[in-house]
Amino acid sequence: MVFLLLSLSLFSAVFVVDAALSLRHDELWTRRQALISGASVTSSGLIVTSTSPSVSVAHAVDDDTSVDLAAFNAARASGGSNKSLAGNIFPTTSNTPQRHAIISTSDPSPLLPIRGAKSTTQYIPRVGYSLYKTPLEQVSRCVALALRCGIRHFDVATQYESNSVIGKTLQQYLNGGLSALNKDYYNNEKVELLQLLDETAMIAQRHALQTTSSRSLIASPNIDGSAGRRSRRSQLFLSHKLSNSEQSTDSVTVKRHVKQTIASLSVGYLDLVMLHSPLTNTARRLGTYKALLELRDAGFVRSVGVCNYGLGPLMEIQQEFAGGLGTTDTSNLPAMNQLELSPFNAHREIVQYCDSNDIAVGCSTWSRLSSVDGPAEGWAVLAEIAKAKGMTKAQVLVRWSLQKGYVCVPRSASSSKVERVAIAENSYGGVNKMKEFVLSDKEMEVLDGLDIAYKAGKLGRRDGWKDEDVTGPEWDPTDFV
């Protein structure tokens, strides 16, 4: 009877929260526009924007949700990559069901299982936050805002040159909880922004409650002070990338770099360490990977992965550490391969290989897809879907990634109102606010039809890569063999 009452109470609590959030959908989005533009919200639901000190213009929120998806799909039916799928040439080497199929009518769990040391499993939050290209003076504020809206997965790298700054903010949080960040960060923010961050965190918590495998996210109460440090660290997920210059055939050198990162971030271990790219040579790639496996087995690293790896370097690891194609031992294969991935560049062969070998796929894009030399036609289609769903274009991309089963790490700075709001909007809670945010089978089909193998990596030099790394005008490190 007690168990039944507790179950009914939990169900009722989830139902009440869900209903309350549904009722607040229009209000939240109206407030979003007001928060970004510095406008005020009237009782009639209109946004009043100040255009000059003496003039105000009222306009209704656009509620046009019509879009001819069938026409879009028909127009793009013959589009997509000309490359053939990897098909059956990569034998499945795990009994684990493929995790990366489309999940278009339900909300994916906040957590994705990935392989750890010695046949263990650990869980990575599906939506994280990347510190890529974040101005150094904004890093601390970005981390604090991300923590406030429920983000617990941070994607960092030696190449980003911000680990020591990130470590200071994380140390404050780990030692004292969110309240420890009040003085330096939250007390300086507008109340409306803090409310948005808190509401977003609540939405993420609701989805964790509704997902059996994700209850560990909320299993422990939010305890401020040193008493909750262990719980806070267990819920935090730090993924780090070793730069090309840190790859070495000398395992001692590699291990020193990783331990220095652990020290700079002020944490006892790293949840995931990845090679940032394959753009060195076979000896350095395999030597570095072997050293990371040893660090994993020693407890300094929980999982080992790679970034921007194409089929050649992936098979290289499989041959060296897993007995070659067809092996049933996947314990030493990468836990994740993070690469440039979007509806415009689907990397289908690589994803097929990863699925077949129980390698999680991480989704990232190096440059602005909306830039003047971006995929203009596809971007327009994306914009129509975003308008129909009441989402931003960035949210559609994050939601697409979620429903494909990928891990996604959006980024945003914090110098403008739009950027600060975007940190919340593009989090797990931000893209799971309402049932309407779920992309339908038809919408997913339209987005998947936009694949033109568009390589944002052609802007590689401006994205931090050295001249010798960039091998052509449409450079893509996954082409490297």
Side-chain angles (χ1 to χ4, degrees):
M1 177 63 72
V2 173
F3 175 78
L4 178 61
L5 289 174
L6 287 173
S7 299
L8 288 173
S9 298
L10 178 61
F11 175 80
S12 299
V14 172
F15 179 80
V16 170
V17 171
D18 191 53
L21 289 170
S22 297
L23 289 172
R24 290 178 59 78
H25 174 250
D26 292 337
E27 179 187 346
L28 285 173
W29 277 92
T30 303
R31 284 176 50 197
R32 170 192 183 272
Q33 297 298 330
L35 186 60
I36 290 175
S37 63
S40 59
V41 183
T42 70
S43 59
S44 62
L46 300 179
I47 298 176
V48 180
T49 306
S50 177
T51 56
S52 72
S54 59
V55 179
S56 293
V57 178
H59 56 90
V61 178
D62 185 3
D63 61 355
D64 179 13
T65 59
S66 62
V67 59
D68 190 354
L69 295 175
F72 284 141
N73 184 48
R76 302 300 301 180
S78 60
S81 173
N82 292 324
K83 298 179 181 179
S84 62
L85 292 178
N88 296 323
I89 67 170
F90 304 117
T92 300
T93 58
S94 171
N95 292 325
T96 304
Q98 290 191 10
R99 298 188 307 271
H100 310 299
I102 293 176
I103 314 170
S104 55
T105 56
S106 63
D107 291 332
S109 159
L111 300 176
L112 179 71
I114 61 174
R115 69 168 56 86
K118 301 174 182 177
S119 301
T120 61
T121 298
Q122 69 163 339
Y123 294 87
I124 180 172
R126 288 182 187 267
V127 182
Y129 180 80
S130 173
L131 277 300
Y132 166 64
K133 295 180 79 171
T134 302
L136 196 60
E137 68 275 9
Q138 297 180 36
V139 166
S140 293
R141 186 182 190 184
C142 288
V143 172
L145 294 177
L147 287 167
R148 182 74 177 245
C149 73
I151 293 172
R152 294 297 180 267
H153 172 194
F154 291 91
D155 187 72
V156 304
T158 302
Q159 200 161 299
Y160 302 166
E161 300 180 343
S162 56
N163 282 350
S164 60
V165 179
I166 296 167
K168 291 179 181 178
T169 307
L170 289 181
Q171 194 61 216
Q172 284 181 272
Y173 166 71
L174 290 173
N175 286 338
L178 290 176
S179 62
L181 302 177
N182 284 336
K183 180 179 178 181
D184 292 338
Y185 304 104
Y186 303 142
N187 290 347
N188 302 318
E189 301 291 350
K190 291 186 178 297
V191 173
E192 294 84 359
L193 176 63
L194 295 178
Q195 288 176 342
L196 175 64
L197 297 174
D198 291 340
E199 288 165 349
T200 304
M202 182 177 68
I203 292 166
Q205 189 176 61
R206 177 197 66 178
H207 283 274
L209 270 170
Q210 294 174 334
T211 308
T212 303
S213 62
S214 303
R215 292 190 182 279
S216 60
L217 281 175
I218 56 168
S220 302
N222 295 321
I223 304 173
D224 285 338
S226 59
R229 180 183 171 92
R230 178 175 295 183
S231 174
R232 287 190 288 272
R233 178 61 188 96
S234 68
Q235 294 176 13
L236 198 63
F237 193 101
L238 296 175
S239 59
H240 173 68
K241 304 181 187 73
L242 281 175
S243 66
N244 292 347
S245 63
E246 292 174 308
Q247 294 186 34
S248 174
T249 56
D250 179 15
S251 64
V252 174
T253 299
V254 174
K255 292 175 182 179
R256 182 175 67 250
H257 287 311
V258 173
K259 291 176 181 179
Q260 287 173 344
T261 298
I262 292 173
S264 66
L265 288 170
S266 302
V267 293
Y269 61 90
L270 292 170
D271 299 275
L272 174 64
V273 176
M274 300 176 282
L275 282 75
H276 207 154
S277 90
L279 301 177
T280 54
N281 58 52
T282 298
R284 288 173 64 190
R285 286 194 299 271
L286 294 181
T288 302
Y289 193 85
K290 182 175 184 293
L292 292 181
L293 290 177
E294 292 171 354
L295 284 170
R296 181 197 67 179
D297 294 341
F300 292 97
V301 172
R302 296 293 173 88
S303 292
V304 175
V306 294
C307 297
N308 308 307
Y309 266 47
L311 297 180
L314 285 170
M315 292 182 187
E316 187 178 76
I317 291 175
Q318 188 171 26
Q319 187 66 41
E320 182 72 16
F321 299 105
L325 287 175
T327 181
T328 58
D329 180 13
T330 62
S331 60
N332 287 329
L333 290 180
M336 173 177 288
N337 183 18
Q338 185 187 96
L339 67 159
E340 178 193 347
L341 205 60
S342 74
F344 316 107
N345 193 6
H347 279 305
R348 296 178 184 179
E349 296 92 340
I350 298 174
V351 171
Q352 171 70 26
Y353 175 89
C354 291
D355 284 344
S356 298
N357 289 282
D358 200 22
I359 300 171
V361 177
C363 181
S364 64
T365 302
W366 302 320
S367 65
R368 293 173 62 88
L369 293 171
S370 58
S371 62
V372 292
D373 58 350
E377 182 184 354
W379 194 252
V381 173
L382 178 72
E384 289 295 330
I385 292 177
K387 180 180 179 181
K389 306 300 289 187
M391 303 170 75
T392 67
K393 292 184 285 293
Q395 283 182 308
V396 172
L397 290 173
V398 176
R399 184 72 211 187
W400 171 85
S401 170
L402 269 178
Q403 292 183 205
K404 295 293 284 187
Y406 305 145
V407 173
C408 187
V409 284
R411 64 165 294 275
S412 177
S414 64
S415 62
S416 72
K417 294 177 183 178
V418 173
E419 290 171 338
R420 293 192 291 277
V421 170
I423 292 176
E425 285 183 340
N426 299 332
S427 68
Y428 181 82
V431 297
N432 281 288
K433 282 184 177 179
M434 291 294 296
K435 293 179 181 178
E436 289 81 359
F437 276 25
V438 176
L439 297 170
S440 68
D441 289 338
K442 181 64 67 176
E443 289 162 334
M444 290 294 290
E445 187 178 349
V446 169
L447 291 172
D448 286 340
L450 300 178
D451 180 19
I452 56 173
Y454 173 79
K455 298 179 179 181
K458 62 188 175 185
L459 301 177
R461 291 182 181 85
R462 280 187 280 169
D463 287 343
W465 300 97
K466 298 179 181 178
D467 284 349
E468 57 265 31
D469 293 334
V470 183
T471 57
E474 293 193 353
W475 168 77
D476 183 346
T478 62
D479 292 338
F480 183 81
V481 178

